[in-house]
Amino acid sequence: MTAGVFTDDIDPAGAALARTAARFEQLAARSRLEDADVDELALLSANAAHLLTYTEGNQRHFGPAHAPRSGRQRLLDGPEADAALLVLLEGSVCKEDTAERTRGNLLNWLRERARVRQDPATGQVAALYRQARDALHHTDRAQAALLERLGLRTHQAAPATVFYRAVSTATKPSTREKLVRAWEAQRARHAGPVLERLDAVVGLRREQARAEGASSVAGRTLDRSGLDEARAAAFIDAYVERAVDSTGRLATRIRATTGATDHPLAHFGAYARTLTGGAALPAFPLDGCLDYLAAITRDVFGITLSPLAADRPDEHLVLGTADGQAIGTASFDLMETPPRTTRGRSEAARGDAPDRRAQLPATLPEARVLCRYQYDARGNRVVSFESLHSMLHEFGHVMNHWLLRRHTPSETGLDYLPLERIEDLSTWFEKWAYHPRLAGHLALCANDAAGLRICARIKRLEFLNANLDRAVVAALDFDVHRQDSGGLADSFRRLDNRFRLSDLCRLEKVAGYLLSPLCRAYPGANFTYLWGAAFGAEAFEPWLGTGQGACAATRARAGHSLRSCLDPDAPSQTPKLDPLFLFYDADGEPCL
């Protein structure tokens, strides 16, 4: 195949969305809907939402040419189409209870879309988010200009990436401190417009919640979860307290190792380099990593992944089957990162994948995973540990999409479970990057196996380095949406007074994360990422002792820990925090 370089005329999800829209229109044109039609409509809407969320989440990789919310990519983008489908669904009655429940969900979704469309605040919120994003881009440009003045060329790289590299490679602590101070000053200088727009959004959300009679914005969001405000608050508080302690100990180690003074966490890259001795970290064979993912899927879930003919040469398409039944398709979008300047090299596609899609059901759960790779010195495609980790995480979302048979239509594709559990399976799946089985599966030599252990250690440290920022974003998002008044700065002051954050975390650093799709769709529910992180570590503990030869009873006991990931009606049990912090930071040093 041609190397997986995405060009401006390639839209990774475009063909899949076009097929989805065409099938949706076929069903919506019928005079009456049967049970199977209703179920398929719900699945099509879930597929479209998943594909759009995937495209938006990877926008930095795909580039501006692939706007995820363009008219041709959206289903039912106008009120006329919504109204026609609403009439069709109202005139249909399903025979089976499950299909009738799905019909009710579709009706509620369409009615809610109509209500939101008529609310003037909807357009105002969208405009404010665009303005906040523009303000963030302005900050990026200002920081890029700073780097250029310092003689650090950014070219097409993100300014934050160039800054991190510069701080990591600077040998003198004083030089690193000067860079960090200049960088932080530039960010603080431009943070005001972002915070102003986000505070205005919070104000509009509060007005909407009051008009609906909700106790708070967060309370309204938690109607989609299995938690009440008190239980969510208790979990967030406990997590932040542990994160402050863990991050403080990491900062102490960074100071001792690098000589950092005022901004120890900003010196993380230099600290990590001392742990690796400056040695290059290994990369791992792409095909072997895809096989490893397939082996986990087969051994844990009993699902076999088989290749299919793909739409594009830079796509690896697989069909998942269990007990002889097709359950879903997944496309791995293969992106060479960074792309080479010459593109004359080509290679055969992975295997001779047959074109069997015509024999499959008209609609299956359909999902995508981004897989970034490079070529090594011998011309083989390889992936970094970071890329493998990301690929495993994203495939956890694929498994949720495949295995949850009750598809709930939504704008984001995130409504398949109670909100607090939507990251659970993906954070569990990513832990397989740390399993001892990986080195043996890839048949690594002794040096590469040692390099894999270093990669895992660095990744654990990266989690610790970002963990408090992640916790503060969740706590800010929750606190500001529980209040009747005040903005993000007020919420940050309350958190700082309780947890003493200011030495380790600054508001202007984390504000941009409140523009994430989850924060926009479900204000107050960003703690989902904390819940998922804790669940993933706790649920993975039983699997650390399993391997390819583990007996069925062992796998069954371990598999019980995943029940809540696959059953929307299962209760949400608050995950323990000890397994998470022990996994990433045992006795002050990350466990290997």
Side-chain angles (χ1 to χ4, degrees), residues 275-349:
L275 300 179
T276 64
L281 297 176
F284 310 99
L286 170 61
D287 287 356
C289 291
L290 290 171
D291 286 337
Y292 179 63
L293 182 151
I296 296 166
T297 306
R298 180 190 63 242
D299 292 350
V300 175
F301 300 100
I303 296 172
T304 300
L305 304 184
S306 305
L308 293 173
D311 291 323
R312 305 187 327 275
D314 46 16
E315 177 183 20
H316 175 57
L317 178 64
V318 298
L319 170 69
T321 57
D323 299 325
Q325 298 294 316
I327 61 169
T329 62
S331 298
F332 292 84
D333 290 314
L334 307 178
M335 174 182 283
E336 186 183 0
T337 309
R340 294 164 299 171
T341 55
T342 58
R343 300 184 60 209
R345 188 181 188 279
S346 64
E347 62 182 70

Side-chain angles (χ1 to χ4, degrees), residues 31 38 114 154 173 176 181 184-185 198 219 231 269 290 322 329 356 374 385 388 393-394 436 441 448 477 528 568 571:
S31 59
V38 170
T154 56
R176 292 196 300 270
R181 288 195 192 101
E184 294 292 342
L198 291 176
R231 190 170 161 207
L290 290 171
T329 62
R356 291 183 285 150
Q374 310 95 37
F385 186 84
L388 170 60
H393 178 97
E394 293 306 319
H441 189 96
D448 284 349
D477 175 53
T528 287

Side-chain angles (χ1 to χ4, degrees), residues 260-430:
T261 55
D262 294 341
H263 304 83
L265 298 181
H267 296 249
F268 173 80
Y271 173 64
R273 283 179 63 83
T274 67
L275 300 179
T276 64
L281 297 176
F284 310 99
L286 170 61
D287 287 356
C289 291
L290 290 171
D291 286 337
Y292 179 63
L293 182 151
I296 296 166
T297 306
R298 180 190 63 242
D299 292 350
V300 175
F301 300 100
I303 296 172
T304 300
L305 304 184
S306 305
L308 293 173
D311 291 323
R312 305 187 327 275
D314 46 16
E315 177 183 20
H316 175 57
L317 178 64
V318 298
L319 170 69
T321 57
D323 299 325
Q325 298 294 316
I327 61 169
T329 62
S331 298
F332 292 84
D333 290 314
L334 307 178
M335 174 182 283
E336 186 183 0
T337 309
R340 294 164 299 171
T341 55
T342 58
R343 300 184 60 209
R345 188 181 188 279
S346 64
E347 62 182 70
R350 191 175 187 266
D352 297 320
D355 190 359
R356 291 183 285 150
R357 283 184 290 180
Q359 305 168 19
L360 300 175
T363 301
L364 286 169
E366 185 171 358
R368 305 191 83 82
V369 176
L370 181 64
C371 178
R372 293 168 291 152
Y373 71 93
Q374 310 95 37
Y375 284 101
D376 65 13
R378 293 170 292 182
N380 299 317
R381 291 182 300 174
V382 294
V383 297
S384 65
F385 186 84
E386 171 67 29
S387 183
L388 170 60
H389 188 279
S390 176
M391 188 166 62
L392 291 168
H393 178 97
E394 293 306 319
F395 200 75
H397 288 302
V398 173
M399 295 305 297
N400 265 144
H401 190 48
W402 280 6
L403 294 176
L404 284 167
R405 291 306 184 187
R406 187 194 310 163
H407 294 97
T408 302
S410 73
E411 296 296 302
T412 62
L414 300 177
D415 283 14
Y416 42 75
L417 285 168
L419 283 176
E420 67 277 8
R421 304 206 312 253
I422 60 178
E423 289 290 328
D424 285 6
L425 190 56
S426 56
T427 55
W428 172 87
F429 217 110
E430 74 187 25

